Amino acid sequence: MPNVVNFGPDFERSLTRIKEDIAEQKSIPGNEQMEERELMRQSLEKMAAAVAVPPAQEPPASSAPQADASSLPAYLSNASADPRVKEEVQRLVNLAFSDHIEKAISEAKKHPPFVVDALHDALVDKLIPEMKRRGML
């Protein structure tokens, strides 16, 4: 029996926007041969540029299923990485999948750029297989 994950409607809309943005990027002359990772990263960066930084507030405790540590980029998975950064990036990845990507990006913008970049890397690593599975890439 296949493993079925139900994502919220906001997450589904985010995937559709990413798919449309990647298709638009590929239609630009010279971009046809760009790697999916780079196209995905550019799409996420475009989303991040459009998201306003919210005022700082305490994040609510999430009851959504948590993704495993494999959601983190390799450079955060090693033992020398700051555990607080790892925990925060993991929380943001979980937020992206349980709520929507723009909210996770908005939350990430409250942190140093390294956290935003790590979130983008983690999302690229998770979204490409999910979108391929759905036939969106």
Side-chain angles (χ1 to χ4, degrees):
M1 175 176 267
N3 185 13
V4 177
V5 179
N6 293 319
F7 299 106
D10 288 328
F11 180 78
E12 299 294 336
R13 282 191 286 276
S14 295
L15 285 185
T16 301
R17 282 186 32 211
I18 291 169
K19 174 188 170 192
E20 291 168 355
D21 187 59
I22 288 173
E24 182 181 313
Q25 289 179 60
K26 280 185 173 181
S27 70
I28 297 172
N31 286 358
E32 304 90 359
Q33 300 302 316
M34 285 182 70
E35 291 185 24
E36 289 174 336
R37 291 187 57 78
E38 184 58 29
L39 292 168
M40 176 74 68
R41 184 148 180 86
Q42 286 181 6
S43 181
L44 290 171
E45 287 172 356
K46 186 188 275 187
M47 287 174 91
V51 174
V53 179
Q57 63 185 29
E58 199 60 35
S62 174
S63 60
Q66 302 295 301
D68 59 19
S70 66
S71 297
L72 298 175
Y75 57 86
L76 281 182
S77 297
N78 64 38
S80 64
D82 183 341
R84 293 172 299 180
V85 171
K86 289 168 41 172
E87 183 179 306
E88 183 59 15
V89 172
Q90 187 61 59
R91 184 186 74 78
L92 292 167
V93 169
N94 292 334
L95 180 63
F97 280 85
S98 65
D99 199 341
H100 58 87
I101 295 170
E102 292 89 344
K103 185 171 183 177
I105 291 171
S106 176
E107 289 285 320
K109 285 184 166 187
K110 297 177 188 176
H111 300 285
F114 177 77
V115 173
V116 176
D117 288 343
L119 174 63
H120 286 177
D121 291 342
L123 289 175
V124 166
D125 291 344
K126 293 304 239 183
L127 291 175
I128 287 176
E130 179 64 24
M131 291 179 77
K132 281 184 176 181
R133 184 183 69 76
R134 295 169 180 232
M136 297 174 92
L137 284 180

